[in-house]
Amino acid sequence: MNLVVKFMKEFKDRDNRQQLKGYRNKVELIRKRNLEAWDDERLQGESLRLKKEAIKGRPLDELLVDAYALVCEVAKRKLGLQPYDVQIMAAIALHERFLIEQHTGEGKTLSAVMPAYLNALTGQGVHVLTFNDYLANRDAEWMGPIYRFLGLNVNSVQAGMSLDAKKEAYGNDITYVTAKEAGFDYLRDTIALNEADMVHRPFHYVIVDEADSLLLDEARVPLVISGESGSFKNDDIRFAEVARQLEQVEHYEFDEFQRNVYLNEAGSAKAESLLGCGNLYDRHNGHLLTSLNCALHVETLLKRDVDYIVRDGEIELIDEYTGRVAENRYLPDGLQAALVAKEGLQWTEGGKILGTITIQHFISLYPGICGMTATAQASAMEFEHIYALQVVQIPPNQPNIRIDYPHRIYTHKEAKLQALIQEILSVHATGRPILIGTSSVEESDKLAEALANVNVHCHVLNAKNDAKEAEIIAKAGEIGAVTVSTNMAGRGVDIRLGGGNREQAEVVAKLGGLYVMGTYVNESVRIDDQLRGRAGRQGDPGASVFFVSLEDELMVQFGIHKMVRVTKQDGALEGAVLFSKIEHIQHVIMGQNFDIHQELNSYSDMVEDQRRILYAERLKILKGDLPMSPSEQRVRLFYIDESWAEHLTYVSYLRESIHLESIASRNPIDEFHTQITQAYEQIPSKINKEAKKMLLRLGGSNEPTEWEKLGLKSPASTRTYIINDQYSENRRSSWTGTTVFAFWGRQILRLALWPVYRMSK
């Protein structure tokens, strides 16, 4: 097997080299188009010529050399930036719809300008999806002078902008925006009752920055729009109190990997006694069982300052991949309400879900997709399978001279902590800047406290002080700086040696550059590589090392602590076997996660196909492509939206219970597809039936006031948010055919209650 992997790697490397050779030839052609002698007016005239050619339909490939030469010259004049050859090579690959792996500090922002300009010449618009609002605004303003000089307009979209401001921004030739904000705006468009209220125009070409994060880590994150109910719910507090009185082993058990928790028989009896509800598994107690399961989950599996923080009286979830606060993100089902109750806060109910789309499905709406990131090759198979995107590795402008030391592995956490502190003290004494990547807010705070006890002052960067991120990162490369961070520091703004001061940078370089230490290894090799990549930018010196203990969560979860039968010791363990075992585990987990994503996609893909079919019909009605009166248009739009919202509710219930089919030896995915297909096929007749009745009541009236009297209006207010789907992934990955009875009971109840729910509608 190793020989096969080695052969495939060599084959891909050879293919990559051939591709780069072709790009170098194009770079030579671009360089030969020397435009230094041209005045500004001639440059702008050339841009106008290219735009006319593109609008006429001339292939953009034929305009690439002239267009890129133009951008290179204007970037030098307007921003003082002379693109490197490797940046131009990256820009060519982006235009050709590849995913580029470009090292940290290599200038991805400028690389993106060339394909963005070229593809915007058609007048159809280009979106650059960035990691956060700050970067969207920064990049639009920073690169704006190039676009505007060349006769194109550019803007950024920010959360909270007015409808008119967003519509104007999306109408620009180039728009910088986060994926989630663009996705939310798309969802708002899908329930608009007037074409004038839509902000997006047809999608054309997108450049995805930090592509591995958006296209893989957050790919399945569902974006949601719902009608705002505004009502408060406090019922969950009593379930939180019950959950606190239950004891592990005696009352509940975890699955193999502690991803889910289940009541046992004694736990059910205890809960029934505390709730005074009789048999917890009786049909009329279904809501009690569901709420109790949610309360038990958040009490035992969600940890404050690890999975979430509480700030200003609000629960804020922490993104497991970035360590940042996951803005506007909530847990699914009743878990968010249970978590709020656990912390003694008030929960506002979200109302009926009107529409939802995953980031993966949203990005796939663009006919042209490309992306860029510092870490792509490790997940090349996933990019190709999910998006048909192939990875091209762009060489660095300067050779990477960072030293990546082997992991230092210890028998227990205390030994790891002491070794880490000693290493920090030793390196800090030289004045060399240090960046320490930790696993959680809790760990970063504890490490900062431990360092204070040995008189080492440090800056802490975690979800609690994310507003100071840019300020802290800017100082992280200064002489004597010690920065303790969650893996927030793994993406975004570059860490410059000496904090950007040339004299300081020279001193830091002589000390060996930035020293990066990781206090644990991630499930994903890519995330480790992101942290390593903070050091060694643009040929700078640097180093990285990871400190690991056999008591770390990953080691315990996969039984490494049992395989290595050694007594506790203070020193690091010797031998390369452990290191290779850890690498193997990371690759196994990446494979498992890929399989889980594929299974989950099997559920969501068909629902998305149904949504697109229904939305295409809705769009025809909204744009007046079908001959109807205004009243009929409004009525049909209303019932399309109502029917789809009901369908989504059914899909949610079905997904919660479909794994029971495996008990009956039926394929859950096939059964799910069968049932949602049957439900979806009923939608057109229902829309026609309800629309016919409403039109009779209206009597042909085209007065908006009459429509509103009969309830034909949009929700008074809507709310957009993100569902944290990690829980669903973990739960489904741990499901087996031998699930405990308590879990069966909950799902059987949901199946039994669903027909009652449908009848009540």
Side-chain angles (χ1 to χ4, degrees):
M1 184 64 182
N2 288 336
L3 288 174
V4 174
V5 172
K6 185 179 179 182
F7 173 78
M8 290 298 294
K9 186 179 185 305
E10 288 176 356
F11 179 80
K12 286 185 177 180
D13 288 346
R14 187 170 68 248
D15 192 47
N16 198 78
R17 286 194 297 271
Q18 283 295 112
Q19 205 156 7
L20 294 178
K21 185 179 178 181
Y23 291 162
R24 286 193 179 94
N25 293 337
K26 274 192 179 176
V27 170
E28 285 184 23
L29 294 175
I30 292 165
R31 294 295 192 202
K32 284 178 182 176
R33 292 279 289 132
N34 193 327
L35 308 180
E36 283 185 352
W38 290 23
D39 60 20
D40 287 0
E41 188 176 351
R42 189 176 177 188
L43 291 173
Q44 290 170 332
E46 174 71 352
S47 184
L48 183 60
R49 180 188 73 81
L50 294 175
K51 190 170 185 178
K52 288 178 179 177
E53 291 284 327
I55 291 172
K56 282 180 188 175
R58 187 173 174 186
L60 295 181
D61 291 356
E62 296 177 12
L63 303 178
L64 185 145
V65 171
D66 290 342
Y68 281 23
L70 202 55
V71 172
C72 289
E73 180 60 29
V74 174
K76 185 172 64 174
R77 293 190 190 187
K78 291 296 174 183
L79 301 180
L81 298 174
Q82 178 69 59
Y84 307 125
D85 285 0
V86 290
Q87 285 177 296
I88 301 173
M89 290 163 64
I92 297 168
L94 288 171
H95 169 68
E96 292 183 354
R97 311 301 199 259
F98 284 100
L99 180 67
I100 62 163
E101 182 175 270
Q102 195 174 16
H103 293 196
T104 301
E106 291 291 314
K108 291 192 289 291
T109 305
L110 183 56
S111 291
V113 172
M114 287 173 257
Y117 166 73
L118 177 60
N119 284 271
L121 289 174
T122 62
Q124 295 172 279
V126 168
H127 290 175
V128 182
L129 300 184
T130 63
F131 195 63
N132 54 41
D133 276 353
Y134 163 75
L135 291 175
N137 184 61
R138 184 202 71 176
D139 293 353
E141 290 193 357
W142 185 15
M143 298 294 124
I146 300 175
Y147 297 122
R148 284 189 280 271
F149 179 89
L150 293 170
L152 301 182
N153 47 36
V154 59
N155 209 334
S156 69
V157 171
Q158 303 281 291
M161 285 173 66
S162 68
L163 184 76
D164 289 340
K166 281 188 171 181
K167 192 167 187 175
E168 181 185 350
Y170 285 121
N172 277 221
D173 296 304
I174 295 102
T175 307
Y176 287 81
V177 59
T178 65
K180 68 175 184 291
E181 196 61 32
F184 284 145
D185 289 333
Y186 174 74
L187 285 176
R188 293 185 188 100
D189 283 354
T190 65
I191 60 169
L193 293 177
N194 297 292
E195 191 177 359
D197 292 336
M198 298 176 69
V199 298
H200 277 298
R201 50 180 169 157
F203 296 128
H204 172 224
Y205 174 76
V206 64
I207 302 172
V208 184
D209 195 7
E210 300 293 356
D212 62 322
S213 176
L214 283 175
L215 299 182
L216 296 182
D217 298 337
E218 299 202 7
R220 293 207 65 268
V221 171
L223 308 176
V224 175
I225 185 167
S226 68
E228 182 66 88
S229 72
S231 61
F232 288 100
K233 182 181 178 184
N234 292 310
D235 296 345
D236 294 280
I237 292 175
R238 65 170 175 153
F239 297 105
E241 292 171 349
V242 170
R244 290 191 194 104
Q245 297 179 61
L246 301 177
E247 300 290 337
Q248 186 179 348
V249 180
E250 184 181 354
H251 299 125
Y252 59 85
E253 300 166 7
F254 294 106
D255 68 2
E256 183 181 0
F257 299 119
Q258 290 210 330
R259 286 174 160 175
N260 209 348
V261 60
Y262 309 102
L263 282 174
N264 58 26
E265 191 173 342
S268 299
K270 174 85 170 179
E272 288 166 354
S273 173
L274 292 170
L275 290 171
C277 63
N279 187 347
L280 196 55
Y281 298 97
D282 278 350
R283 173 178 292 212
H284 66 274
N285 284 333
H287 64 293
L288 299 181
L289 182 58
T290 298
S291 297
L292 181 58
N293 279 333
C294 289
L296 187 59
H297 182 96
V298 301
E299 182 65 34
T300 58
L301 295 178
L302 297 185
K303 297 179 181 178
R304 184 169 178 167
D305 290 343
V306 175
D307 301 295
Y308 66 95
I309 61 172
V310 178
R311 182 163 55 182
D312 299 327
E314 297 285 339
I315 299 284
E316 296 186 329
L317 300 181
I318 297 174
D319 187 289
E320 63 170 326
Y321 295 106
T322 67
R324 291 177 170 89
V325 163
E327 294 181 38
N328 205 21
R329 188 170 298 190
Y330 301 96
L331 294 168
D333 305 320
L335 283 172
Q336 185 71 25
L339 183 56
V340 170
K342 172 186 174 180
E343 295 294 337
L345 304 172
Q346 271 194 329
W347 167 238
T348 305
E349 291 187 287
K352 181 169 67 174
I353 291 178
L354 306 175
T356 181
I357 191 170
T358 64
I359 288 179
Q360 174 182 324
H361 287 140
F362 170 68
I363 292 176
S364 69
L365 293 171
Y366 291 85
I369 304 172
C370 64
M372 48 191 186
T373 178
T375 50
Q377 191 58 41
S379 299
M381 181 184 70
E382 294 173 77
F383 287 120
E384 187 162 2
H385 187 87
I386 298 171
Y387 301 96
L389 277 173
Q390 293 184 326
V391 173
V392 174
Q393 291 177 290
I394 305 296
N397 182 52
Q398 299 290 336
N400 185 349
I401 60 172
R402 184 185 69 237
I403 301 170
D404 295 325
Y405 294 108
H407 297 343
R408 299 186 190 176
I409 305 171
Y410 298 84
T411 56
H412 55 294
K413 286 185 177 181
E414 186 58 34
K416 179 182 79 170
L417 178 61
Q418 291 307 313
L420 181 67
I421 296 292
Q422 287 304 312
E423 183 76 354
I424 293 169
L425 283 169
S426 175
V427 175
H428 180 57
T430 69
R432 186 179 185 182
I434 304 169
L435 172 68
I436 306 114
T438 62
S439 63
S440 65
V441 172
E442 180 182 53
E443 188 190 4
S444 62
D445 286 342
K446 285 182 178 178
L447 181 56
E449 186 179 336
L451 289 174
N453 291 336
V454 292
N455 298 316
V456 174
H457 172 72
C458 67
H459 296 286
V460 179
L461 175 59
N462 60 35
K464 287 183 177 178
N465 63 346
D466 50 355
K468 296 182 179 179
E469 179 178 355
E471 177 188 337
I472 293 171
I473 287 292
K475 296 177 180 178
E478 293 179 352
I479 295 173
V482 177
T483 308
V484 176
S485 175
T486 56
N487 50 2
M488 285 177 70
R491 295 184 188 273
V493 185
D494 291 341
I495 297 176
R496 297 179 179 274
L497 299 190
N501 180 293
R502 183 173 295 177
E503 291 180 5
Q504 265 206 49
E506 291 177 1
V507 175
V508 172
K510 288 177 182 177
L511 292 170
L514 181 67
Y515 190 30
V516 173
M517 302 179 189
T519 66
Y520 73 115
V521 290
N522 287 276
E523 288 188 356
S524 171
V525 176
R526 286 186 294 102
I527 309 299
D528 289 347
D529 288 343
Q530 283 284 347
L531 182 60
R532 284 192 183 99
R534 296 301 94 193
R537 63 178 297 279
Q538 276 294 328
D540 286 342
S544 73
V545 65
F546 284 82
F547 287 73
V548 183
S549 97
L550 297 181
E551 293 180 343
D552 289 352
E553 184 178 345
L554 198 66
M555 305 298 108
V556 173
Q557 185 175 328
F558 284 85
I560 300 298
H561 65 306
K562 294 177 181 177
M563 295 178 191
V564 183
R565 299 185 181 280
V566 293
T567 55
K568 284 188 176 181
Q569 62 184 57
D570 293 333
L573 296 170
E574 299 294 331
V577 176
L578 271 175
F579 177 73
S580 62
K581 192 67 180 176
I582 291 170
E583 273 195 325
H584 175 70
I585 287 172
Q586 289 178 304
H587 284 101
V588 167
I589 294 172
M590 288 174 72
Q592 286 179 347
N593 288 340
F594 178 64
D595 291 340
I596 293 168
H597 290 171
Q598 288 300 103
E599 181 187 345
L600 292 169
N601 284 343
S602 298
Y603 290 97
S604 62
D605 285 352
M606 180 169 280
V607 179
E608 173 61 11
D609 289 343
Q610 292 176 339
R611 187 199 66 79
R612 292 188 186 190
I613 294 168
L614 195 62
Y615 181 60
E617 183 70 17
R618 188 188 194 281
L619 205 55
K620 286 180 184 177
I621 296 170
L622 185 68
K623 291 179 176 290
D625 293 344
L626 301 176
M628 286 168 292
S629 64
S631 60
E632 188 176 0
Q633 181 189 51
R634 175 58 63 95
V635 166
R636 295 195 73 81
L637 289 175
F638 178 82
Y639 284 112
I640 284 174
D641 293 345
E642 186 173 79
S643 297
W644 182 246
E646 288 186 1
H647 187 65
L648 288 178
T649 303
Y650 176 55
V651 167
S652 176
Y653 271 78
L654 196 57
R655 283 188 63 172
E656 283 292 314
S657 57
I658 200 64
H659 276 258
L660 285 170
E661 299 298 338
S662 62
I663 300 168
S665 300
R666 289 194 291 263
N667 185 303
I669 295 172
D670 291 344
E671 199 64 27
F672 176 80
H673 286 172
T674 299
Q675 294 191 40
I676 65 166
T677 299
Q678 290 172 350
Y680 182 75
E681 287 172 349
Q682 296 173 24
I683 290 178
S685 61
K686 180 180 178 182
I687 292 171
N688 290 333
K689 180 182 176 183
E690 296 298 329
K692 188 176 180 180
K693 286 195 297 186
M694 179 57 73
L695 287 169
L696 285 173
R697 292 178 67 191
L698 280 171
S701 172
N702 288 321
E703 287 295 323
T705 53
E706 289 298 313
W707 300 342
E708 295 203 0
K709 282 180 184 176
L710 293 174
L712 299 175
K713 57 184 179 180
S714 299
S717 62
T718 58
R719 170 186 179 196
T720 55
Y721 58 94
I722 299 172
I723 294 178
N724 190 322
D725 215 29
Q726 176 197 350
Y727 165 72
S728 298
E729 292 184 14
N730 288 345
R731 180 174 52 178
R732 283 179 172 83
S733 69
S734 66
W735 269 339
T736 66
T738 55
T739 312
V740 296
F741 176 76
F743 179 66
W744 291 358
R746 176 187 172 200
Q747 305 310 328
I748 290 167
L749 276 167
R750 287 201 163 194
L751 278 178
L753 289 172
W754 177 248
V756 179
Y757 172 81
R758 292 287 287 176
M759 287 173 64
S760 70
K761 300 298 280 187

